[in-house]
Amino acid sequence: MKLVNYIKDVYIELTEKVSWPSWTELQSSAIVVMIASAIIAIAISAMDFGFKAMMDTVYSMFY
């Protein structure tokens, strides 16, 4: 009986109390996330190439 009441409460909360975003808000949020992800990926790639070049320089001193 507790499980049934819990499921009913969850359903009521999701349908009546939660404020769901509109389609345009959802699209704009998705675009912001994609742009931020691309910027972070580019920054990490740049750091990776920079550290690789630096380590190649350090290793070339010893070999």
Side-chain angles (χ1 to χ4, degrees):
M1 202 61 177
K2 287 182 179 181
L3 181 62
V4 173
N5 286 336
Y6 174 75
I7 292 173
K8 285 180 184 178
D9 289 341
V10 167
Y11 178 77
I12 289 170
E13 187 166 347
L14 286 175
T15 56
E16 297 176 7
K17 296 180 182 178
V18 173
S19 62
W20 296 98
S22 67
W23 180 248
T24 55
E25 290 174 338
L26 196 61
Q27 284 180 328
S28 63
S29 295
I31 290 170
V32 168
V33 167
M34 286 189 284
I35 291 171
S37 297
I39 291 170
I40 292 170
I42 290 169
I44 290 174
S45 296
M47 287 188 290
D48 184 43
F49 288 126
F51 288 134
K52 183 184 181 310
M54 185 173 51
M55 294 308 294
D56 286 343
T57 303
V58 170
Y59 289 147
S60 68
M61 290 181 200
F62 297 109
Y63 294 113

